Amino acid sequence: VQLQASGGGLVQAGGSLRLSCAASGGTFSLYTMGWFRQAPGKEREFVAQISWGGGITSLADSVKGRFTVSRDSAKKALDLQMNSLNPEDTAVYYCAATRRRFSTGVFPEPNAFAYWGQGTLVTVSS
């Protein structure tokens, strides 16, 4: 499966952005989808994951209550709605896909995902 992330940009603290990830070349409904981010000088970290059917989601503690992950299998699309952004959210955001399954509350490591998009930069100014 090929993934293409979009929607990044510059936003002021307190603002919102919606990231999207378009999938092609595979059966989208077979994949658990995830969002990760990598800030300058830091390791890539988990943000959110959503199960193949959308019924199981997990959000990192740092974004819980502010971010929402969703998917539309008919459109082969994954979204990340980000509200109340703060400068600590500044990073390159990556969408990813895996055939593995995770339970609610599980925060998978990046190496659990086999397929990656190219990343989209989110910059939050103070």
Side-chain angles (χ1 to χ4, degrees), residues 92-117:
V92 176
Y93 283 71
Y94 298 89
C95 58
T98 179
R99 294 290 297 270
R100 294 179 62 177
R101 303 288 184 259
F102 308 105
S103 300
T104 299
V106 172
F107 299 165
E109 294 292 326
N111 59 17
F113 288 75
Y115 307 95
W116 292 84

Side-chain angles (χ1 to χ4, degrees), residues 15-48:
S16 298
L17 277 177
R18 188 176 186 89
L19 304 184
S20 295
C21 178
S24 61
T27 304
F28 183 69
S29 60
L30 293 179
Y31 294 91
T32 296
M33 301 298 296
W35 286 101
F36 291 79
R37 66 186 182 185
Q38 189 165 16
K42 295 187 177 181
E43 294 187 350
R44 192 168 299 189
E45 66 174 1
F46 169 81
V47 175

Side-chain angles (χ1 to χ4, degrees), residues 2 7-8 13 16 27 32 40 52 56 67 69 74-75 77-78 93 96 101 105 118:
Q2 292 80 47
S16 298
T27 304
T32 296
W52 61 273
I56 297 174
F67 291 13
V69 61
K75 297 180 179 179
L78 171 73
Y93 283 71
R101 303 288 184 259
Q118 85 290 359

